[in-house]
Amino acid sequence: SMSLCEHALSLFRSAVGTVRPAPMLKRAVKLQGDGCPQLLVKGQAFPVRRDLYLVGFGKAVLGMAAAAEEILGDHLVRGIINVPLGIQESLQRAGMPEMLLKPHSKIQVIEGAKNNLPDPEALKGAVAIQELAEGLTADDLLLVLISGRGGSALLPAPIPPILLEEKEKLTKMLASRGAAIQELNIVRKTLSLLKGGGLAQLAYPARVVSLILSDVIGDPLDIIASGPTAASSHSVQDCLQILAKYNLLHNLPKSVETVLSSSPSKPTAPEDYSHVCNIIIGSNTLALDEAKRQAEGLGYATLILSAAICGEVSRVATLYCQLIRLVCLGFTGLGEGPLGDEVRRNLLQLAAELEIPGLNLAEFLRALRGLGRERSVCILAGGETTVQLQGTGKGGRNQELALRVGLGLHRARAMEVSSPPGRCEIVFLSGGTDGQDGPTEAAGAFCSPELVDEALQEGLDVEAFLSNNDSYTFFSQFHGGHHLLVTGLTGTNVMDIQAILIRAT
């Protein structure tokens, strides 16, 4: 029989597999009929009256475009995609030819945005996309491929007369004064030709269909890659307020003043987007749904906690440890006693502090109770945690989360000596769906309650590694690196995935 570790790995791989560009696109998009062909996207039909064009931007767009070109065949007249610098070479090296365009492709590839910052190359690509969009007619269909990661940096087109450097300098000044990422994005969008619905407006009257891979919690259309085809929910007023808040209104470049004073004061009305259809074809939720299907197939009673897990990694680790404790108490019938009640109270308190969007923990705990004394339980979750750096070690948020859960489970076991509940076999896994966790070649790691004791036998002190944020070095040395999750580049990104597998022994 497969071990819990093998099960956890296979769940993670199937979750990632379902949001890889090619399978994801082929599931969502079909081309039908010869006489009057139709593009079918998730059941919605778009007639192909004349020419089909394609544009795209972001990290996963190369693989999406390769699959799209295969589906569209000769109907595709021309395409332009803006992708991160060096991505074609890395995919070639990683042996992933299916993510690359064919030799005589009709899609032009422009690489730019070195280090995920807008640069002249990215601007060149954005201008080419802008010109293509402006030339379309009412009978044309524009397919827009958007991948959240890197999508924003790859579409820089400041409203003239603003120069790219001026916009960058303003963004840097805001950031240095402590502006939040949401605030930075509102200012960027207001000064941009293509973001905040600009691309969709330029393509009018052509029909615009956007296929979106989301890397943002809650999948808000106007935030993913700064929403080039979605109505912006912000106005110039919002932008001015942010600039005022950080005392920047009085030293703005002339060009920025010009643009802000001549911009319409209210956002574009939703009816101006009647020619646009935005469809999310890949997200953390879709990946978790696939993992759940697989887990049930393996015989686990499976629940999804949330696709919006966020917050400091040590707090999130505590939440997972308490959840695991509750399931183990349930196996022994102690879940209904004072111990179980205490753990439930702790959990509700933690969830309130973490403010995870859309999480109804009370409801989740009821569902968990409803599982009764199932012998094998799987809890799945996703999102993106944050790490407060204290040390100079090497790691990533997923490896650190796994190591912290390992330590938490060890401590919980040490406390429960007086009344040893029925032994549980437990595995916790956390991984980044893009195959990279921090600056390392690992996607994440997995752990069990035995990890701390086994590490001590190898002369490794878990707490020392954690205080130096050095989870990668720990996992590389522990058991010869077998607890590292290494998938290689996946060519996709829907944030992170966590799996908890618990089996009564």
Side-chain angles (χ1 to χ4, degrees):
S1 76
M2 280 167 83
S3 70
L4 286 195
C5 291
E6 287 167 330
H7 280 171
L9 283 169
S10 103
L11 295 180
F12 180 77
R13 292 213 156 92
S14 64
V16 171
T18 201
V19 290
R20 276 186 189 251
M24 182 178 73
L25 238 114
K26 286 174 180 158
R27 260 201 329 274
V29 182
K30 308 260 184 294
L31 192 69
Q32 220 185 29
D34 298 325
C36 177
Q38 286 189 322
L39 188 65
L40 289 179
V41 185
K42 280 195 157 181
Q44 297 188 56
F46 303 95
V48 180
R49 292 201 184 87
R50 208 180 78 173
D51 293 336
L52 229 164
Y53 294 88
L54 179 150
V55 297
F57 26 90
K59 205 169 174 177
V61 154
L62 193 59
M64 288 164 80
E69 186 162 33
E70 216 174 287
I71 296 164
L72 303 173
D74 292 338
H75 290 286
L76 180 66
V77 179
R78 180 171 167 236
I80 302 171
I81 58 171
N82 240 6
V83 295
L85 191 68
I87 193 159
Q88 295 179 92
E89 198 194 332
S90 353
L91 289 169
Q92 199 94 52
R93 267 208 318 269
M96 298 169 78
E98 73 284 357
M99 305 279 283
L100 296 165
L101 295 168
K102 300 280 181 285
H104 303 292
S105 169
K106 291 177 188 163
I107 300 171
Q108 179 192 355
V109 181
I110 297 169
E111 292 194 358
K114 191 178 176 188
N115 302 326
N116 203 16
L117 293 167
D119 57 12
E121 283 308 302
L123 181 60
K124 191 179 102 183
V127 169
I129 287 173
Q130 177 194 338
E131 286 170 353
L132 186 150
E134 285 173 331
L136 302 178
T137 71
D139 286 336
D140 293 324
L141 184 59
L142 178 66
L143 200 57
V144 183
L145 307 177
I146 301 177
S147 147
R149 220 18 84 96
S152 195
L154 286 160
L155 204 64
I159 299 171
I162 302 174
L163 301 171
L164 188 59
E165 318 44 294
E166 292 176 318
K167 190 172 153 186
E168 279 313 282
K169 196 174 153 197
L170 180 59
T171 312
K172 282 205 182 88
M173 274 163 71
L174 273 168
S176 70
R177 295 185 182 196
I181 182 73
Q182 288 82 351
E183 295 177 312
L184 292 175
N185 281 340
I186 290 170
V187 173
R188 278 194 196 121
K189 279 200 299 197
T190 313
L191 304 178
S192 165
L193 267 177
L194 299 175
K195 292 171 184 158
L199 177 60
Q201 292 303 316
L202 289 175
Y204 183 84
R207 186 81 182 134
V208 178
V209 180
S210 275
L211 308 180
I212 302 168
L213 177 65
S214 168
D215 67 329
V216 184
I217 282 178
D219 311 331
L221 292 173
D222 66 326
I223 304 287
I224 303 164
S226 302
T229 57
S232 173
S233 45
H234 304 106
S235 65
V236 170
Q237 251 10 75
D238 297 316
C239 177
L240 292 169
Q241 265 170 350
I242 291 163
L243 294 171
K245 177 178 166 183
Y246 296 101
N247 284 330
L248 286 170
L249 274 182
H250 303 297
N251 46 4
L252 290 176
K254 228 22 292 79
S255 59
V256 174
E257 279 184 10
T258 308
V259 167
L260 288 175
S261 60
S262 62
S263 295
S265 57
K266 58 180 200 301
T268 332
E271 54 269 21
D272 294 340
Y273 289 87
S274 57
H275 64 299
V276 185
C277 189
N278 288 304
I279 300 169
I280 293 196
I281 61 166
S283 67
N284 192 275
T285 305
L286 285 165
L288 288 176
D289 287 343
E290 178 59 23
K292 179 174 195 272
R293 248 172 35 102
Q294 299 284 338
E296 287 171 345
L298 292 168
Y300 289 89
T302 309
L303 292 173
I304 294 176
L305 175 65
S306 162
I309 297 290
C310 53
E312 220 285 307
V313 63
S314 58
R315 319 278 307 144
V316 175
T318 309
L319 180 82
Y320 286 142
C321 288
Q322 296 280 358
L323 267 178
I324 291 167
R325 207 173 150 212
L326 191 58
V327 174
C328 290
L329 287 170
F331 285 157
T332 59
L334 291 172
E336 297 309 314
L339 251 174
D341 292 340
E342 185 198 337
V343 176
R344 270 189 280 274
R345 272 198 303 278
N346 291 347
L347 277 166
L348 290 165
Q349 175 68 39
L350 258 172
E353 287 166 22
L354 281 166
E355 294 183 345
I356 293 162
L359 172 62
N360 182 341
L361 189 66
E363 195 178 304
F364 179 83
L365 293 177
R366 275 197 295 279
L368 199 55
R369 263 184 167 149
L371 297 182
R373 293 196 189 185
E374 286 278 356
R375 306 322 279 162
S376 302
V377 172
C378 169
I379 296 174
L380 297 165
E384 203 158 88
T385 56
T386 44
V387 176
Q388 304 252 287
L389 287 177
Q390 269 132 11
T392 53
K394 194 172 178 187
R397 56 182 185 258
N398 290 291
Q399 293 163 77
E400 178 149 333
L401 180 58
L403 195 51
R404 285 187 182 279
V405 168
L407 179 61
L409 294 175
H410 166 78
R411 287 177 176 161
R413 258 201 189 168
M415 275 164 41
E416 280 171 7
V417 183
S418 53
S419 58
R423 281 281 173 209
C424 289
E425 207 188 331
I426 301 162
V427 163
F428 173 84
L429 173 146
S430 186
T433 53
D434 60 352
Q436 287 174 308
D437 187 32
T440 72
E441 88 283 358
F446 53 92
C447 72
S448 68
E450 295 74 38
L451 173 113
V452 175
D453 289 334
E454 290 172 7
L456 275 174
Q457 286 166 9
E458 293 185 30
L460 301 172
D461 175 356
V462 168
E463 294 188 47
F465 282 98
L466 277 172
S467 61
N468 192 30
N469 297 114
D470 205 11
S471 52
Y472 174 74
T473 308
F474 170 83
F475 281 115
S476 304
Q477 295 175 6
F478 177 62
H479 281 1
H482 282 320
H483 282 59
L484 278 173
L485 173 60
V486 182
T487 59
L489 273 183
T490 62
T492 189
N493 189 348
V494 295
M495 302 181 289
D496 305 332
I497 282 179
Q498 282 100 41
I500 300 170
L501 301 186
I502 309 172
R503 197 190 274 157
T505 48

